[in-house]
Amino acid sequence: KVIEALPDILEEHPDAKLTFAGGMHRTGDTEYLEMIEKMIEESPEKENINKTGVLPSEYDVYQYMKEADIVVLPFDEISQSASVTKTLAMGTVPVVTPLDTLKEPIKNYGGVMIEEDNQKELKKGIKKALNNPPEIKSEKIREELSWQNNVEKHLEIYEDLI
């Protein structure tokens, strides 16, 4: 989806770069990775597309998220997303598909949720994030979702049960 949106993005942002950060991990789904590599190779904008491959550590993942202007996460389905949470915590604007499980973090902490899961809306969402980025409440998400805060909430629940 994102590769196909790149020509329109480059019209307004000719210096834009698309980076696929990460690679195949536990699933062993080489078919998807091969499809992405083929799309990159066939893209007229392939000079504007980078692939990192599997990143060696979480620190490297955070660095890419922090250095990006936006992080596009076009999920088809997901029950929750650590990627969205990490992106927000780094202060970077996430652009996400309209899934119910992502509505709350986008509403509470910032980001762009596209209206429909299609190419036109994805381009619109990316352009919105680049041209008029919303405020990202990175400190709020880091505080509210910290280990310390989670432990305290769990202790309150346990104390109420006793």
Side-chain angles (χ1 to χ4, degrees):
K1 295 178 186 178
V2 183
I3 294 172
E4 294 163 349
L6 191 56
D8 287 344
I9 304 305
L10 289 170
E11 285 179 15
E12 289 184 38
H13 302 275
D15 295 332
K17 299 286 184 213
L18 172 60
T19 299
F20 283 91
M24 187 173 55
H25 289 278
R26 297 173 281 273
T27 63
D29 185 3
T30 58
E31 186 177 318
Y32 179 74
L33 189 59
E34 289 168 1
M35 179 190 73
I36 297 293
E37 288 174 350
K38 182 178 180 193
M39 289 178 73
I40 292 170
E41 189 56 41
E42 293 175 355
S43 173
E45 292 79 23
K46 64 183 172 186
E47 302 82 34
N48 295 77
I49 304 173
N50 303 311
K51 285 184 331 181
T52 66
V54 175
L55 296 169
S57 72
E58 280 295 306
Y59 174 79
D60 295 295
V61 173
Y62 294 138
Q63 284 303 112
Y64 274 98
M65 288 178 167
K66 189 174 182 175
E67 291 172 10
D69 293 320
I70 65 172
V71 173
V72 181
L73 301 162
F75 298 117
D76 290 327
E77 59 182 55
I78 195 160
S79 60
Q80 59 85 30
S81 175
S83 297
V84 172
T85 304
K86 290 174 188 176
T87 300
L88 290 164
M90 292 291 108
T92 304
V93 178
V95 178
V96 301
T97 43
L99 298 173
D100 287 340
T101 55
L102 302 178
K103 287 179 182 176
E104 189 175 330
I106 298 301
K107 179 181 146 201
N108 292 339
Y109 307 109
V112 174
M113 178 174 278
I114 64 175
E115 293 181 24
E116 295 178 37
D117 189 5
N118 62 48
Q119 194 64 37
K120 180 181 176 186
E121 289 296 318
L122 182 63
K123 290 177 196 177
K124 197 162 96 175
I126 292 170
K127 288 180 181 183
K128 178 180 179 180
L130 290 171
N131 295 333
N132 189 21
E135 176 190 1
I136 301 301
K137 299 172 184 165
S138 58
E139 289 200 23
K140 180 180 178 187
I141 195 169
R142 285 195 303 265
E143 178 183 315
E144 290 181 1
L145 299 181
S146 70
W147 281 108
Q148 182 64 37
N149 197 31
N150 280 316
V151 167
E152 289 171 9
K153 285 181 180 179
H154 277 83
L155 286 175
E156 286 175 21
I157 292 169
Y158 295 143
E159 288 172 0
D160 288 345
L161 292 172
I162 296 178

